[in-house]
């Protein structure tokens, strides 16, 4: 019984690991292949099955004039837009979430929960519904095809996530913490900054992680709201495709584009395993 | 350190409703500087609300609060210099034990050396010295509660330390010691302590003044002895003491005596102004003894059960349909069936409509 349990446990862990890791390995090997080794039957092991080369990777940093697609600038654009929008969303979202969790708002029949739901409802709509209003809005303030415009739009998209996660988080932080801080002599702002916020780091990390992921992977709005001046990574990667699908450079770009998320995942995972996320408040 | 006056305080959590529900009905009370108070009452009777009003977390719907005759009703919590400890430990997770204890002093710009001195002395009292540099979140629940308590005690000049059932999470042994520590702190520093509990033993052993509450009403304030011997209402008589006060339906028969089950009982109360027929006689089981040579205030009872409770015996007896409980010393011989019990007149309390006459 016990042995069977251990066997099954490891069996499923192995199956799952293979399931998760195999595509990465496949992409990794493919990125070093050339036309011949991709299209001439299945090949697995470099140097044995096929002769690895760096063409797929070189294309990513070569300028278009030399037949490459320069993804360095879009890469940094994406990093900049995602991080800035996430940071602003987290700051605004945390402040609104704290207010929604601790104070009572009332405007006619609209109460705290309705306001919270209003934020979430922004993400219920299919993105296509938002595309035309966003387009018109950005064009009216002359921010189409600009990093600033993208940041504004991403804040609109990411803040609901931050609000949603943080409202839930703050609702679980006992009010007594704030009250104790007041009793100990903080004013409400100090109570928030010195006591509630440091206690909320786990929530902030989770919210930050979601904002970064959803910001980083967005293709749709980046595609619609930019043309030539500014390009984000996902759009650029799609532009790689041509009549002959360049599997090697697509694989290479897929790997570089998930890299930041893997780094984020490792940081959060370290934090999770230290037990800081769960049971921080008790 | 201050005298705290609560004057005509009342509170409702829904004051704008057409039918507001009052969590606290109007009352006035004075907490003298340096005393130990216990607020005692069943769940939901408004104890926490009262503390929150004093600390400023709740603004009363009506009435004024004065600290040393200064009106603080509109003063914010952080400006009141009050300490409050909640039922469940509240600690600042991201700080060490030392930082937790020092926090109230830091917020009030105490000097480094003064802070050090106070934190160390409080940590000494609460046995937290060896943990001062550990992260507070690593401690056990009762140690965490000690930190909460410590944050309340670290300021010497607080108007009062309010404690809302602070020892619930602490194991009985430590509880006993802590209560004694609190007493010592109160005697040493003359800090006013207010202690909420629904355990009457805790209230009786800790406080020199007990405030008994019921359903938003302050029913009686007094020393443990007063509450025990002359409860203001049948509720207090019932709530305080173990076993509860004996209460008998009775009929007035003269200006100072009542009849229970056709037995005449003389009391020291003046019964000439009774208006209603709802009269009850109350007497503590501690005061009912087996009759020796008395010749009045005797009741004949049928013993049902005798429990040996260590340092005393508890007799449960029947008189007709009434149940009488009497606490006697261990050595007392109890005849098997029928006994005469003596009810001392000076210990009798007569209640009209459940209020003491
Ligand atoms: N924030 C609130 N909003 C509305 N009603 C409340 C609020 N806090 C308390 N009440 C109500 O006020 C009454 C008194 O509550 P309070 O918390 O003061 O009781 P308590 O004596 O402290 O009870 P316990 O022993 O359970 O802690 C209760 O009926 C409760 O339901
Ligand atoms: Mg309470």
């Amino acid at each position: 019984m016990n042995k069977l349990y251990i066997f099954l446990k490891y069996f499923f862990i192995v199956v799952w690991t293979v399931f998760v890791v195999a595509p990465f390995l496949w992409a990794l090997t493919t990125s070093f292949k050339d036309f011949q080794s991709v299209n001439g039957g299945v090949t697995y092991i470099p140097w044995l099955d096929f002769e690895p080369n760096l063409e797929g990777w070189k294309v990513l940093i070569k300028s278009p004039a030399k037949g490459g697609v320069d993804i360095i600038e879009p890469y940094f654009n994406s990093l900049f837009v995602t991080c800035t929008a996430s940071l602003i969303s987290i700051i605004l979202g945390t402040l609104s979430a704290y207010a929604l969790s601790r104070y009572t708002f009332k405007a006619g029949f609209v109460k705290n929960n309705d306001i919270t739901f209003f934020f979430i409802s922004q993400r219920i709509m299919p993105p296509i519904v938002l595309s035309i209003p966003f387009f018109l809005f950005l064009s009216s303030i002359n921010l189409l095809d600009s990093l600033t415009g993208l940041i504004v739009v991403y804040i609109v998209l990411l803040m609901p996530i931050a609000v949603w996660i943080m409202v839930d988080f703050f609702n679980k932080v006992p009010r007594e913490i704030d009250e104790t801080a007041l009793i100990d002599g903080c004013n409400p702002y100090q109570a928030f900054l010195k006591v509630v916020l440091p206690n909320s780091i786990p929530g902030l990390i989770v919210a930050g992680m979601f904002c970064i992921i959803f910001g980083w992977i967005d293709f749709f709005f980046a595609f619609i709201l930019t043309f030539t001046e500014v390009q984000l990574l996902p759009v650029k990667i799609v532009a790689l495709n041509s009549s002959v699908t360049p599997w090697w450079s697509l694989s290479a770009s897929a790997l570089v584009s998930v890299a930041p998320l893997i780094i984020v995942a490792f940081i959060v995972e370290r934090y999770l395993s230290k037990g800081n996320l769960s049971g921080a408040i008790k | 350190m201050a005298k705290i006056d609560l004057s005509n305080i009342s509170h409702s959590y829904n004051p704008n409703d057409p039918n507001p529900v009052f969590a606290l009905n109007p009352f006035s009370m004075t907490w003298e500087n340096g005393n130990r108070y216990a607020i005692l009452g069943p769940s939901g009777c408004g104890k926490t609300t009262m503390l929150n009003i004093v600390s400023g977390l709740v603004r009363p719907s009506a009435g004024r609060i004065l600290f040393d005759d200064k009106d603080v009703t509109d003063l914010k919590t952080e400006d009141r210099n009050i300490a409050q400890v909640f039922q469940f430990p509240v600690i600042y997770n991201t700080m060490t034990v030392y930082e937790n204890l020092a926090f109230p002093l830091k917020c009030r710009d105490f000097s480094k050396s003064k802070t050090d001195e106070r934190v160390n002395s409080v940590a000494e009292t609460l046995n937290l010295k060896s943990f001062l540099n550990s992260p507070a979140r690593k401690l056990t629940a009762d140690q965490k509660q000690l930190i909460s308590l410590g944050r309340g005690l670290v300021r010497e000049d607080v108007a009062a330390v309010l404690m809302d059932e602070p020892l619930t999470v602490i194991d009985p042994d430590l509880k006993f010691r802590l209560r004694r520590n609190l007493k010592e702190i109160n005697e040493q520093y003359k800090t006013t302590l207010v202690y909420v509990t629904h355990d009457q033993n805790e209230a009786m052993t800790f406080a020199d003044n007990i405030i008994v509450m019921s359903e938003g009403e302050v029913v009686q304030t007094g020393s443990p002895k007063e509450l025990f011997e002359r409860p203001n209402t049948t509720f207090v008589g019932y709530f305080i003491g173990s076993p509860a006060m004996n209460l008998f339906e009775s009929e007035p028969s003269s200006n100072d005596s009542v009849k229970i089950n056709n037995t005449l009982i003389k009391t020291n109360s003046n019964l000439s102004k009774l208006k209603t027929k709802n009269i009850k006689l109350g007497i503590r089981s501690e005061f009912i003894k087996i009759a020796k040579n008395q010749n009045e205030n005797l009741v004949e009872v049928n013993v049902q059960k005798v429990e040996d409770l260590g340092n005393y015996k508890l007799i449960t007896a029947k008189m007709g349909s009434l149940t009488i409980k009497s606490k006697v010393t261990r050595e007392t011989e109890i005849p098997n069936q029928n006994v005469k019990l003596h009810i001392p007149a000076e210990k009798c309390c007569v209640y009209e409509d459940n209020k003491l006459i």
Side-chain angles (χ1 to χ4, degrees):
Chain A
M1 177 62 220
N2 208 8
K3 273 191 178 153
L4 183 70
Y5 172 75
I6 291 172
F7 171 77
L8 283 178
K9 193 166 81 175
Y10 281 100
F11 178 75
F12 283 115
I13 289 175
V14 168
V15 168
W16 182 247
T17 310
V18 169
F19 185 73
V20 170
V21 174
F24 282 98
L25 289 179
W26 191 245
L28 191 64
T29 49
T30 306
S31 70
F32 293 105
K33 293 175 187 176
D34 56 14
F35 183 86
Q36 201 49 45
S37 13
V38 172
N39 293 343
V42 196
T43 52
Y44 299 98
I45 307 163
W47 290 289
L48 274 175
D49 278 353
F50 64 93
E51 199 52 44
N53 70 63
L54 288 174
E55 236 3 77
W57 292 88
K58 280 186 192 151
V59 171
L60 298 185
I61 49 172
K62 258 195 260 174
S63 74
K66 289 183 184 157
V69 275
D70 184 4
I71 68 154
I72 292 177
E73 198 189 319
Y75 200 88
F76 281 101
N77 283 345
S78 261
L79 273 182
F80 176 69
V81 170
T82 306
C83 292
T84 314
S86 298
L87 189 69
I88 297 176
S89 304
I90 293 285
I91 293 172
L92 295 179
T94 304
L95 292 175
S96 358
Y98 184 66
L100 283 169
S101 153
R102 290 301 195 261
Y103 299 92
T104 312
F105 296 95
K106 214 170 149 190
F109 61 90
V110 180
K111 303 219 175 79
N112 287 33
N113 284 343
D114 305 305
I115 302 173
T116 311
F117 182 74
F118 168 78
F119 277 109
I120 304 165
S121 69
Q122 303 303 300
R123 295 308 305 249
I124 291 174
M125 279 180 275
I128 193 90
V129 176
L130 295 169
S131 58
I132 293 171
F134 275 155
F135 191 91
L136 295 177
F137 169 61
L138 287 193
S139 83
S140 74
I141 54 173
N142 260 335
L143 286 178
L144 269 181
D145 204 8
S146 74
L147 291 178
T148 321
L150 282 173
I151 289 173
V152 170
V153 168
Y154 280 8
I155 290 172
V156 176
L157 295 173
L158 299 181
M159 203 177 119
I161 301 175
V163 171
W164 190 31
I165 293 174
M166 291 312 289
V167 165
D168 194 50
F169 190 85
F170 284 135
N171 282 344
K172 287 194 192 116
V173 175
R175 245 167 224 266
E176 278 84 357
I177 293 231
D178 315 33
E179 293 178 344
T180 302
L182 293 181
I183 286 161
D184 285 346
C186 296
N187 63 38
Y189 302 101
Q190 291 169 325
F192 177 71
L193 288 176
K194 287 189 184 171
V195 172
V196 178
L197 213 52
N199 266 313
S200 311
I201 289 172
L204 290 174
I205 286 184
V206 172
M209 184 182 75
F210 277 104
C211 285
I212 287 176
I213 291 174
F214 283 108
W216 184 255
I217 64 174
D218 173 72
F219 167 76
F220 185 75
F221 289 102
F223 181 65
I224 288 183
L225 302 173
T226 59
F227 317 112
T228 49
E229 281 299 308
V230 168
Q231 269 188 321
L232 294 194
L233 186 62
V235 178
K236 195 71 179 183
I237 291 177
V238 171
L240 268 174
N241 212 344
S242 65
S243 53
V244 179
T245 309
W247 294 110
W248 37 94
S249 48
L250 279 179
S251 299
S253 59
L255 289 175
V256 289
S257 69
V258 293
L261 295 189
I262 291 178
I263 293 170
V264 169
F266 269 111
I267 295 171
V268 174
E269 192 271 338
R270 279 192 66 122
Y271 209 80
L272 264 174
S273 62
K274 268 201 273 168
N276 285 355
L277 275 183
S278 56
I281 311 291
K282 202 39 177 284
Chain B
M1 304 227 189
K3 182 180 88 168
I4 298 176
D5 273 302
L6 300 160
S7 139
N8 289 316
I9 298 282
S10 64
H11 186 70
S12 161
Y13 283 101
N14 54 349
N16 300 324
D17 229 69
N19 308 310
V21 180
F22 276 84
L24 274 181
N25 294 327
F27 71 96
S28 295
M29 193 185 297
T30 302
W31 294 343
E32 296 296 342
N33 185 21
N35 283 7
R36 289 191 304 272
Y37 293 88
I39 303 179
L40 184 61
S43 213
C45 67
K47 306 180 295 278
T48 303
T49 308
M50 188 190 282
L51 289 198
N52 287 349
I53 286 175
V54 175
S55 63
L57 295 172
V58 169
R59 196 187 185 287
S61 311
R64 320 294 313 161
I65 303 149
L66 310 163
F67 286 7
D68 278 338
D69 301 318
K70 190 171 138 273
D71 192 327
V72 296
T73 318
D74 295 309
L75 215 54
K76 294 202 213 73
T77 304
E78 62 265 31
D79 301 323
R80 283 201 193 180
N81 207 9
I82 267 273
Q84 189 168 2
V85 182
F86 297 98
Q87 179 167 9
F88 292 100
V90 178
I91 54 146
Y92 306 131
N93 276 308
T94 47
M95 305 182 190
T96 64
V97 175
Y98 181 94
E99 287 165 332
N100 262 276
L101 293 175
F103 194 72
L105 301 178
K106 206 172 118 203
C107 288
R108 292 187 161 78
D109 296 324
F110 275 66
S111 73
K112 179 90 186 55
S113 58
K114 184 75 191 156
T115 307
D116 243 18
E117 180 205 317
R118 287 300 302 152
V119 170
N120 279 315
S121 123
V122 167
E124 184 91 58
T125 317
L126 298 175
N127 261 356
L128 286 171
K129 255 212 133 143
S130 45
F131 303 103
L132 277 180
N133 292 318
S134 337
R137 75 187 137 79
K138 293 256 162 80
L139 272 56
T140 61
D142 46 10
Q143 288 168 333
K144 285 183 184 175
Q145 186 64 333
L146 292 183
I147 298 178
S148 307
L149 214 56
R151 269 201 324 261
L153 299 172
V154 76
R155 282 177 275 154
E156 279 172 297
D157 59 338
V158 282
V161 181
L162 313 178
M163 293 171 282
D164 199 343
E165 306 190 31
L167 305 184
T168 315
V169 292
I170 290 182
D171 75 76
D173 237 23
L174 191 59
K175 213 171 181 165
F176 181 76
R177 213 180 41 110
L178 274 179
R179 259 198 321 253
R180 228 185 31 218
N181 279 349
L182 284 174
K183 260 180 153 164
E184 279 164 19
I185 288 168
N186 161 264
E187 274 150 19
Q188 194 178 346
Y189 298 108
K190 295 275 166 276
T191 322
T192 311
L193 299 182
V194 181
Y195 189 103
V196 165
T197 173
H198 45 253
D199 176 351
Q200 46 150 323
N201 284 326
E202 209 166 63
M204 295 287 217
T205 49
F206 172 78
D208 35 37
N209 279 284
I210 298 182
I211 299 151
V212 185
M213 298 185 60
S214 159
E215 294 174 16
E217 201 85 54
V218 176
V219 267
Q220 187 168 6
T221 320
S223 67
K225 186 166 166 357
E226 277 166 359
L227 291 189
F228 184 74
E229 294 191 0
R230 294 201 75 73
N232 255 346
T233 64
T234 49
F235 170 81
V236 180
Y238 190 81
F239 195 71
I240 287 188
S242 157
M245 190 178 217
N246 288 297
L247 286 166
F248 310 114
E249 302 282 344
S250 46
E251 301 163 28
S253 93
S254 71
N255 271 354
D256 64 354
S257 44
V258 295
K259 261 190 181 161
I260 46 173
N261 256 6
N262 290 324
T263 313
L264 198 68
I265 304 287
K266 232 169 103 54
T267 73
N268 286 1
S269 314
N270 177 3
L271 307 180
S272 54
K273 296 198 194 78
L274 293 183
K275 288 181 207 74
T276 68
K277 288 243 174 303
N278 182 12
I279 306 297
K280 282 188 185 129
L281 177 74
I283 173 100
R284 290 280 175 201
S285 45
E286 281 81 355
F287 301 135
I288 304 180
K289 297 275 124 98
I290 291 180
K292 287 198 185 102
N293 39 24
Q294 295 91 345
N295 44 25
E296 52 173 17
N297 276 12
L298 300 178
V299 289
E300 240 175 280
V301 298
N302 188 280
V303 175
Q304 306 274 309
K305 191 166 71 177
V306 179
E307 288 158 276
D308 193 335
L309 295 173
N311 42 4
Y312 61 86
K313 280 180 181 163
L314 182 63
I315 305 174
T316 309
K318 282 266 185 204
M319 178 173 67
S321 61
L322 297 176
T323 308
I324 284 194
K325 292 199 176 200
S326 157
K327 254 187 188 180
V328 295
T329 56
R330 283 200 81 185
E331 295 74 36
T332 315
E333 284 296 325
I334 297 156
N336 268 348
Q337 277 293 316
N338 294 329
V339 265
K340 277 196 173 140
L341 295 177
H342 175 242
I343 297 180
E346 70 277 12
K347 302 292 187 191
C348 286
C349 303
V350 183
Y351 296 92
E352 179 181 21
D353 277 338
N354 296 324
K355 294 212 169 58
L356 184 70
I357 297 174

